[in-house]
Amino acid sequence: MNLSDQIRKASDNPEGLERLYHDALEAGSGDSFQENMLAAYRERPENVLLAAWYHRLESSEPISQPVTEAHRPWARAILIGLLTGLALWAVSDPDLVLLGEFPYLALLWSPIAAVSAMVLLVWSDPRRLQRAILVSAALVAVCIYVLILAPIGPSVPGQNHLILMALHLPVLAFAAVGVTLVGVQENPPNRFAFLSKSLEIFVAAGLFGITGMITLQISAGMFETQGLVPPEWAIRLIACLAAGSLPLLAIVTVYDPTVEPLQQDFGTGLSRVIATILNVVLPVVCGIMILY
């Protein structure tokens, strides 16, 4: 029985409706409860209990609670992150260069990262699917245009046109994620909330990246003392897997992908980020020690 049917069944049971309300909050589906309750009242406006809930909820803000650890999509983030890492590894091949020396990775890393972030966000909230498909298609079209134009651009010292492309693509990729989340309609509070959360995600991703680099450097030094130096492709693979996974873990750590940016929890600080970093690094360090 879905939530809508449960509300209709308990429409004459105050205790039952209150229990459904608290269960919805614990499950992180407060908005769904609110929508179904208001719909139930519109069907039966003569019901006094539904009318009371209607006036309680109609003028209130969305009632979703911050997502609990049990509902954070860690498995999805790890899966998408590993696939993203493999895609980055594929385009990081030293032979994939433009004009003899400019790597494809410098142009394509941000669109790949943006698409992976959109997949994670849409997987958690399918309501964004159509918008994400359109935005992703536009981003892919821009990448194709860049790859076609790059080799035939103006021949100037230092390939300035390629540098400009490499600088502009991350901005377009970031804008693509923003459009997927908040759309193109005029909604300044939601846009500001998106920018605020984005800054928090960048800080979290930076901390993840610093921790990852320190861990890799120490691990590489340990193995070098034993004369064990991994091949170049393996080093690239490990680095790309980390680069593909850590930003998505940062998103899941500080952002609830099931609600709008304006409904995010802005009360948590870096404590959650630090705790997540320790949880991620501990098994990696244990595995490195076992191999060592």
Side-chain angles (χ1 to χ4, degrees):
M1 184 182 298
N2 58 35
L3 182 57
S4 177
D5 293 335
Q6 290 177 322
I7 291 174
R8 289 175 174 82
K9 184 177 179 180
S11 59
D12 296 312
N13 182 357
E15 181 182 357
L17 282 180
E18 192 68 26
R19 190 184 311 112
L20 287 175
Y21 172 69
H22 288 287
D23 290 344
L25 291 182
E26 292 178 1
S29 55
D31 287 346
S32 178
F33 177 88
Q34 185 175 9
E35 294 172 2
N36 284 286
M37 177 60 73
L38 297 180
Y41 166 75
R42 295 187 185 99
E43 293 177 2
R44 297 180 56 192
E46 73 284 354
N47 186 293
V48 177
L49 182 57
L50 294 179
W53 274 96
Y54 171 79
H55 291 291
R56 175 181 176 181
L57 299 175
E58 183 187 32
S59 59
S60 66
E61 294 295 328
I63 56 179
S64 286
Q65 297 296 310
V67 66
T68 61
E69 293 301 322
H71 292 89
R72 290 185 182 275
W74 295 110
R76 298 175 186 175
I78 293 173
L79 174 60
I80 298 172
L82 293 177
L83 294 176
T84 303
L86 291 176
L88 293 174
W89 179 62
V91 299
S92 68
D93 191 311
D95 295 330
L96 293 177
V97 293
L98 292 165
L99 300 182
E101 61 180 63
F102 200 88
Y104 275 68
L105 182 63
L107 291 174
L108 299 180
W109 71 267
S110 57
I112 292 174
V115 171
S116 67
M118 286 187 280
V119 171
L120 176 62
L121 296 169
V122 171
W123 196 345
S124 302
D125 187 356
R127 293 176 299 176
R128 305 184 179 111
L129 178 59
Q130 182 177 4
R131 199 158 56 200
I133 291 175
L134 294 175
V135 171
S136 298
L139 192 58
V140 170
V142 170
C143 292
I144 294 174
Y145 168 76
V146 166
L147 292 177
I148 293 175
L149 181 65
I152 59 176
S155 179
V156 295
Q159 292 113 25
N160 291 337
H161 66 293
L162 293 179
I163 296 175
L164 288 175
M165 292 176 181
L167 292 175
H168 282 79
L169 275 176
V171 178
L172 290 175
F174 176 71
V177 177
V179 171
T180 299
L181 283 176
V182 302
V184 294
Q185 296 181 352
E186 188 67 23
N187 192 347
N190 215 27
R191 292 180 183 178
F192 180 79
F194 165 71
L195 293 175
S196 178
K197 268 298 177 183
S198 297
L199 180 60
E200 190 174 349
I201 291 172
F202 291 149
V203 172
L207 292 175
F208 274 110
I210 293 172
T211 305
M213 286 189 292
I214 293 175
T215 303
L216 289 176
Q217 288 291 339
I218 294 175
S219 303
M222 291 169 57
F223 284 106
E224 284 180 5
T225 61
Q226 302 294 329
L228 299 175
V229 180
E232 182 271 340
W233 66 267
I235 296 175
R236 283 194 299 109
L237 178 60
I238 294 173
C240 290
L241 289 177
S245 301
L246 294 182
L248 295 180
L249 292 177
I251 292 176
V252 175
T253 300
V254 302
Y255 190 86
D256 179 0
T258 63
V259 299
E260 295 296 320
L262 195 58
Q263 301 169 15
Q264 296 295 318
D265 178 17
F266 291 91
T268 56
L270 290 177
S271 58
R272 182 186 299 278
V273 177
I274 294 173
T276 305
I277 289 175
L278 294 177
N279 288 331
V280 170
V281 169
L282 180 60
V284 174
V285 171
C286 289
I288 292 172
M289 293 301 294
I290 291 172
L291 290 174
Y292 181 75

